[in-house]
Amino acid sequence: MVDVSQHELVPDHTVLEEETLEEVLAEYDIDRTDLPKIKRNDAALPDEAEVGDVIKIVRDSRTTDQAVVYRLVVE
């Protein structure tokens, strides 16, 4: 079986540490539940991601070199 998370077109997905998460939430003045959601069974998620974690996704971008987005893991 193919590991989709290792495909060259799938952007980097990393689980945020709680300390880093607090900084991000404060910067945007939002709560964790205000973030867009990503399902736990999404093939691109790291194996260690659990429901309630926040994932940092870094994509290549034509205009800003890299685009960083955050997603809350849900069931």
Side-chain angles (χ1 to χ4, degrees):
M1 191 157 167
V2 176
D3 184 1
V4 174
S5 66
Q6 299 304 313
H7 192 278
E8 66 183 51
L9 295 178
V10 175
D12 291 335
H13 288 61
T14 54
V15 178
L16 277 185
E17 297 293 326
E18 197 64 34
E19 182 178 301
T20 307
L21 172 60
E22 293 304 321
E23 293 173 9
V24 170
L25 295 177
E27 178 181 347
Y28 293 105
D29 192 27
I30 59 173
D31 293 324
R32 179 186 301 243
T33 54
D34 295 329
L35 292 167
K37 314 301 187 269
I38 188 170
K39 293 233 178 203
R40 172 59 198 109
N41 60 0
D42 189 300
L45 282 178
D47 291 335
E48 66 271 11
E50 298 178 2
V51 173
D53 285 344
V54 173
I55 305 299
K56 177 181 179 180
I57 303 170
V58 181
R59 299 182 178 125
D60 290 334
S61 171
R62 292 181 190 163
T63 56
T64 63
D65 189 37
Q66 288 186 335
V68 178
V69 296
Y70 301 94
R71 299 285 185 266
L72 175 64
V73 180
V74 297
E75 270 190 65

